[in-house]
Structures are given as structure tokens and as C-alpha cells.
Amino acid sequence: MAIPSFDLIDVIRTIQKKKRFIILITAVAMALGGVFLAIKKKKYKAEARFLVNNPHYGDRNTLFRSYETRYVDFFGGDDELDKVTALANSDTVQDRIIRNCQFQVIYKQDINDGKGHATLMGIFEKGFNLKRSEYKDLQVSFTAYDPKVAADVANMTVKVLEETYRHYYTTMKQNMSSSITIKVKQLDSAIASLTDTLANMREKYGIYSIISPSRQGIINGDAKGGKGSGRAIEELQNIESIKDQLVTDRSHYISNLNEFSVSENESMDYLKLITRAVPPSSTTGPSILLVMMITGFLGLFFSILFVLVMAYFNKLNAVLR
């Protein structure tokens, strides 16, 4: 049995014969696409843009450098942008954002329940987007059914990111300051103890001259005393040298403590908002013209395909009979 041919001429004739059906299906598809877009709940997208400052610029080694002048860029590089991106995608930051924006009230979920919290996190991740532009700024956007919610979430994201990113650096500096403060208190106690010891020895032996070997300008023969003052002078020198070193260390620690207190100041911004998100006036997503074009093309394609398949099977059945 010979297989019936179905060439280009047959295809064109079949399309011409069924053109009304094809046009009808195409028009119905376009109408359905327009109706679907009309009844679909509108979504709004708000976007905020910000720059990442270089955290090393506000470091104590940069603010109080005295032995070299090294250039430090104001703006953060790729490493800083990667760190901010990692923080934005972390559960800790996203949880703070949804709590600060009252997602549990907006989407009517129990944020303290595991299932409800997971639902809110899923809603946030679905509407959240963070991307980097070619100008080394970051663009954060959020899509929601309410334009004000979209803008509030975008702005809150920048605020929480700035606080988290700054806290990462200031916490380390505060821990260093706390460690130095504890050491200064220990030095104060040791210096006070040595001061009492030296005062008692000077009163006992009547030696009031500066005799510490660590101090400059001492005059030979200036120290006087009675019997046993020789050993007393040696002991005074030993204790004075220890005390002088402790006093020097204490002043050095206090100087570092003051520098850390400046660099850990929370008035320093680590992110700079350059475009604040505002409630959008237009919806996001494809326009009605684009939707109708896409659905019209799909309707045209599948209607032609259906007509050609049916025509071929009809021709094949005619041969078999």
C-alpha cells in the first residue's frame, strides 16, 4: 500500500480551506489572553539603588596612619559587593526584613509558627531580587500586590543590610576595645600596687631621687640615704623600671582604645542609598499588547498544526478505505 503524499501544495490548500477556523481560533486565543491579563491581580515592583562604601577607609589604621600615606578608595570593590550580596541572601537578614515590614500582618500568617514563617520567607524570596550593575552599585527590588509594600520592603532591605554590614565590622572593633579596656584595668591595679611599694620604700630609706634606669637625665650621686640604702636603691631601680614600662604600655593601650572608639562609631555609614524606592504607579509584567501577540501566535500555530494533522489523517483514511 502506497503512503499518500502531503506536500507543500497540500499544506497551502489545507490552510486556505480552513482559514476561517484558523482565524477564529487565533482570535479566541488573543481574547482569552486579554481576559486573563485583565482579571489577573496586578503586581507592582519597587526598586532602590545603593553604593557600598569601603570599610577600610574608616579603619583606625587609615584614620590615624602616621608612617605612610596609602591611598584607600572611598567605594567598595568586588569583595565588598560580594559580602553584601551574601548577607542579603542570608536567612538572618531576610527574617529581620519580614519582621520589620510586618509580613505577618500583610499576608495574614503566624510568623512564630514554623509553617507560617516558611510561607512568609517563600513570599519574600519570590518577590525579592538583588543585582549588580556595571557601575558597581547594587539594585534591590521587591514585587508585591501593594505598591506601598513593595517600596517599603525595598527601602527596609537597604536599611537592614547597612546595619548588618556595619555591625559586622563595629562588633569586632568593640570586642577589641573591650579586651583593651580589661587590660588597662589590670595595668591600673598593677601600677597602683607598685606605686604603694615604691612610696613605702622611699619613705623607709629616705630616697626621693629619680633613679630608674629607664629614665633619662639622672645625675650620679643624686641619690642619698643611710645604712642599707645601697640595696634599697637597687630594688627601687628594679621596681621603677617595671612600673615605667607598665605606665608606657598603659598609655599605648589608651591611645589604641581612643582610636578604636572613633573607628567603631555607628555614625559611619557603610552603605550609601542613592535612589530611594517609591510606590510605583504602573504595574510590572508584560503589557496587554504583548500578551495578546503571544497568545495570538500560539493560537495561530496550534490551529494550523491541528488543521494539517487532521487533513493528513483524513487523506490517509481515504486511501485505506
Side-chain angles (χ1 to χ4, degrees), residues 24-42:
L24 178 63
I25 296 299
T26 303
V28 171
M30 293 177 65
L32 290 176
V35 171
F36 173 77
L37 188 63
I39 64 176
K40 181 184 177 183
K41 196 173 182 180
K42 303 295 187 296

Side-chain angles (χ1 to χ4, degrees), residues 75-115:
F75 302 100
D78 293 334
D79 291 341
E80 284 72 29
L81 268 64
D82 290 340
K83 292 181 179 67
V84 174
T85 303
L87 288 174
N89 293 322
S90 65
D91 291 341
T92 304
V93 171
Q94 294 181 0
D95 179 73
R96 283 189 59 192
I97 295 172
I98 65 174
R99 290 180 184 274
N100 292 349
C101 293
Q102 299 293 312
F103 267 39
Q104 66 274 17
V105 177
I106 298 171
Y107 296 100
K108 296 178 176 59
Q109 296 287 336
D110 186 4
I111 197 171
N112 297 318
D113 179 66
K115 186 177 180 181

Side-chain angles (χ1 to χ4, degrees), residues 231-273:
R231 182 177 181 84
I233 290 175
E234 295 298 326
E235 292 180 354
L236 281 172
Q237 288 186 117
N238 294 337
I239 299 175
E240 282 282 8
S241 64
I242 296 174
K243 179 188 173 184
D244 288 347
Q245 186 61 49
L246 293 181
V247 171
T248 301
D249 292 343
R250 179 178 180 275
S251 63
H252 180 67
Y253 287 144
I254 292 177
S255 177
N256 288 337
L257 187 62
N258 292 332
E259 293 179 4
F260 276 116
S261 65
V262 173
S263 61
E264 74 187 22
N265 196 312
E266 294 187 356
S267 63
M268 294 184 178
D269 291 332
Y270 283 67
L271 300 182
K272 179 61 178 179
L273 182 66

Side-chain angles (χ1 to χ4, degrees), residues 17 65 69-70 77 88 164 186 224 231 248 260 275 307:
K17 185 179 180 180
R65 63 180 184 271
T69 56
R70 180 181 300 175
T164 307
Q186 294 175 352
K224 299 178 181 181
R231 182 177 181 84
T248 301
F260 276 116
T275 301
V307 167

